[in-house]
Amino acid sequence: MIRARSTTLSPLKRGIDIAVSTVALIALSPMLVVVAIMVRMRLGSPVLFRQARPGLHGEPFELLKFRTMTAATGPDGVLLPDGDRTHPFGERLRRTSLDELPELMNVLRGDMSLVGPRPLLMRYLDRYSPEQMRRHDVRPGLTGLAQVSGRNDLSWDERFELDVYYVDHHSLRMDLSILARTVTTVTKGHGVAAEGMAIGAEEFMGSR
């Protein structure tokens, strides 16, 4: 089995992450302010969605995203299912990936990289096979090989296979290719939701 190549790329990759995220945050600051105001007006506060996600080696960090759902609750005071709290404005943010722009702060802080396996949920850690767990051998990414290869149209097993392939073969050339393909994926809105789902994909319950 091929394992991850030398970590000599890491300093260069980290340097690119810092440079690109800094420039992007400055250049996109007017858009970030406008989106934040619109989220506050249409969805309420808090404007940012914060959640613990597994990072490098599975260590938790606080993921930042723009809020895309309301805080609607049922008669018992419990939050309604995600599909019932989805707002048209939030759907547009997801479809255009604008909700993920605050993750540039995660990249700048070193929690994430521009390219890598997407950070999923903490509760999935106990459900991965040893091979799937290897997706955490690199920093999670703002975009990744699975995201430009089908996103939520792929099965969980297909996504994890691509994540591990990235871990074993990542290079500067691959990262640049994934970033370029991300533009097309986001523009066309491919794979925002799995078939039959209002948003995202069904919960990962472990592979057979």
Side-chain angles (χ1 to χ4, degrees):
M1 182 181 298
I2 300 174
R3 293 296 178 182
R5 59 182 59 199
S6 170
T7 57
T8 53
L9 177 65
S10 296
L12 175 60
K13 184 177 174 70
R14 179 62 188 142
I16 293 174
D17 286 343
I18 293 173
V20 174
S21 60
T22 299
V23 172
L25 283 168
I26 294 172
L28 297 175
S29 57
M31 181 185 294
L32 288 166
V33 171
V34 170
V35 174
I37 292 173
M38 294 181 71
V39 169
R40 177 65 178 84
M41 292 175 60
R42 301 191 181 195
L43 300 176
S45 60
V47 169
L48 291 179
F49 170 78
R50 302 169 183 265
Q51 187 178 55
R53 297 288 179 94
L56 183 63
H57 306 312
E59 292 298 318
F61 72 94
E62 186 179 62
L63 180 80
L64 302 176
K65 298 178 71 172
F66 279 125
R67 179 180 182 174
T68 59
M69 293 187 289
T70 68
T73 60
D76 55 1
V78 177
L79 285 174
L80 294 174
D82 290 354
D84 295 331
R85 293 188 293 120
T86 301
H87 188 280
F89 176 67
E91 288 183 343
R92 289 196 293 274
L93 289 181
R94 283 177 174 266
R95 186 164 290 107
T96 58
S97 295
L98 289 175
D99 64 314
E100 297 179 3
L101 287 180
E103 291 175 40
L104 287 167
M105 283 298 302
N106 289 122
V107 175
L108 184 61
R109 294 192 310 202
D111 302 322
M112 297 174 60
S113 180
L114 292 172
V115 182
R118 284 293 295 163
L120 299 176
L121 300 177
M122 293 297 298
R123 63 177 176 267
Y124 288 2
L125 289 176
D126 293 335
R127 303 174 188 175
Y128 293 136
S129 69
E131 182 71 2
Q132 291 168 344
M133 189 65 182
R134 292 182 54 226
R135 69 192 302 276
H136 296 292
D137 287 351
V138 296
R139 284 189 179 90
L142 193 62
T143 184
L145 184 58
Q147 282 59 55
V148 299
S149 301
R151 215 170 174 181
N152 288 315
D153 289 337
L154 302 175
S155 69
W156 281 115
D157 285 345
E158 289 172 326
R159 273 182 271 180
F160 295 150
E161 286 177 8
L162 289 168
D163 288 343
V164 174
Y165 180 90
Y166 176 82
V167 170
D168 289 338
H169 299 88
H170 67 279
S171 64
L172 179 58
R173 181 176 181 179
M174 180 183 284
D175 281 6
L176 293 176
S177 174
I178 290 172
L179 288 171
R181 291 168 62 188
T182 297
V183 176
T184 301
T185 300
V186 171
T187 301
K188 295 184 177 181
H190 288 166
V192 175
E195 184 176 355
M197 298 290 292
I199 56 174
E202 291 184 358
E203 182 168 350
F204 173 65
M205 300 305 296
S207 299
R208 296 181 180 179

